[in-house]
Every structure is written in structure tokens, then in C-alpha cells.
Amino acid sequence: KFVYVLDRSGSMGDSHGEALAAAKRELASSLDQLDSVQQFQIIFYNEVARKFNPTGQAGRLAFGTSQNKIEAKKFIDSIEADGGSAHEDALVMAIRLQPDVIFFLTDADDPKLTSRDLARIERLGAGTIINTVEFGSGPQRESENFLVKLSRQSGGQHTYVDVTKLPQGAPKGK
């Protein structure tokens, strides 16, 4: 069971939307690798979270069927960058779905998760691995930011993506 949590705040749309476009491409690529017995959910968030809902029943995971993947890609394409970030609310929403793994994709913009926030997420998500993907322009600024700590405390991995190093002409998301 996988839950993808993607930041769609205005800062993800800065620099011509490379961060959000890259996050969408990563998500689509990951979905392509799922088979029909694996379950997934997608949460895009800014100040509020928006869940993928192919069944019409809120809070459910979808199976990785071809049809659900097609619907998921339509959902992904409909998302645009706007507003601020409520990282913790989106992560708590994902944890409540009881996945095995959460993929958390963000530019780590303010507000940052505090030590107290991280402790709460660790307590609520005990047993859930959280892999973090950070999008930035240029070299990674902080080697021990909240995303690194979040992934480490859950047994996950952290990856940094420099959007300025992405191939020229890569398809842009909305």
C-alpha cells in the first residue's frame, strides 16, 4: 500500500513550474510500476489537501489497475501550483490511510516541520516508511533539514532533485 503526498503550493510552481512538473513526472513513473494487486492513494496539498477519488468513496486506496492509473493521470494533470503549504496536515491524512510506504514530494518551503511535528508524525505513523523527495534550485542548502530527519526516523530514504539539472525540454506539468 502506497500513498503519494505531493506539495502543490505556489513555491512548487516557481521557476516556470519545474518542481511541480518534476514531481508529477516522478509520480506518473511510479504509478506505471504498480501492478493490479498493489494499492495506492494520491494526496496533493497546499493549505488544504485534495485526494484522488476514483471510486467516489472518500478515504479509500485504489488498486493499481490500468483504469485507475488512467484516472490517476487525469487527476495529476488537473493539479496546478497555488497557495501555501500545510505539510503536517497532509502527512497525517496519509498516515491515517495506513499505508506501508509514503512518498512525500515537496520543495520543503515554509512552514518547516518542527521537532515536535516530527515526533507527532513518528508516533502516528509507527511502522510506516516515509521516503522524501526534495525539489530545489541549485545545490541542496541544508543537509539536515526536516525532510532528511523525517525519512531517517521512519526508515525511509531522502532524495534531493536539483530542478536546474533536469533535461532541457522535459515535459512541463500544469
Side-chain angles (χ1 to χ4, degrees):
K1 297 178 186 177
F2 302 96
V3 177
Y4 302 91
V5 181
L6 290 90
D7 184 348
R8 68 176 203 100
S9 65
S11 62
M12 287 289 286
D14 291 350
S15 302
H16 310 296
E18 282 101 351
L20 184 58
K24 287 178 170 185
R25 286 192 301 275
E26 289 293 319
L27 173 55
S29 175
S30 184
L31 290 174
D32 285 341
Q33 297 175 40
L34 297 179
D35 64 37
S36 62
V37 297
Q38 293 172 310
Q39 293 179 290
F40 72 96
Q41 179 55 270
I42 303 166
I43 300 170
F44 277 98
Y45 73 97
N46 51 17
E47 296 96 354
V48 295
R50 193 169 153 207
K51 276 191 219 175
F52 174 58
N53 190 6
T55 64
Q57 296 177 349
R60 298 197 46 136
L61 298 172
F63 283 95
T65 64
S66 296
Q67 186 60 40
N68 283 341
K69 290 178 192 180
I70 290 168
E71 294 301 317
K73 288 175 184 176
K74 288 178 190 174
F75 174 67
I76 294 164
D77 288 342
S78 75
I79 299 298
E80 295 184 14
D82 184 40
S85 300
H87 305 296
E88 185 180 10
D89 294 345
L91 282 167
V92 169
M93 180 183 285
I95 289 166
R96 287 190 175 135
L97 293 168
Q98 301 179 323
D100 300 311
V101 179
I102 293 172
F103 292 96
F104 184 50
L105 294 82
T106 179
D107 60 1
D109 203 14
D110 291 330
K112 312 266 189 250
L113 293 177
T114 66
S115 296
R116 187 178 195 178
D117 299 334
L118 291 172
R120 178 174 182 242
I121 290 166
E122 183 175 29
R123 189 175 60 255
L124 292 173
T128 300
I129 294 169
I130 302 175
N131 293 311
T132 59
V133 181
E134 179 181 359
F135 296 91
S137 293
Q140 186 174 3
R141 292 186 195 119
E142 297 178 63
S143 61
E144 282 295 312
N145 68 17
F146 76 89
L147 292 176
V148 173
K149 293 173 186 174
L150 178 64
S151 61
R152 187 182 312 126
Q153 78 183 17
S154 71
Q157 296 180 1
H158 172 78
T159 303
Y160 180 81
V161 176
D162 178 355
V163 297
T164 66
K165 302 255 190 229
L166 295 175
Q168 291 296 331
K172 302 278 188 226
K174 290 187 177 185

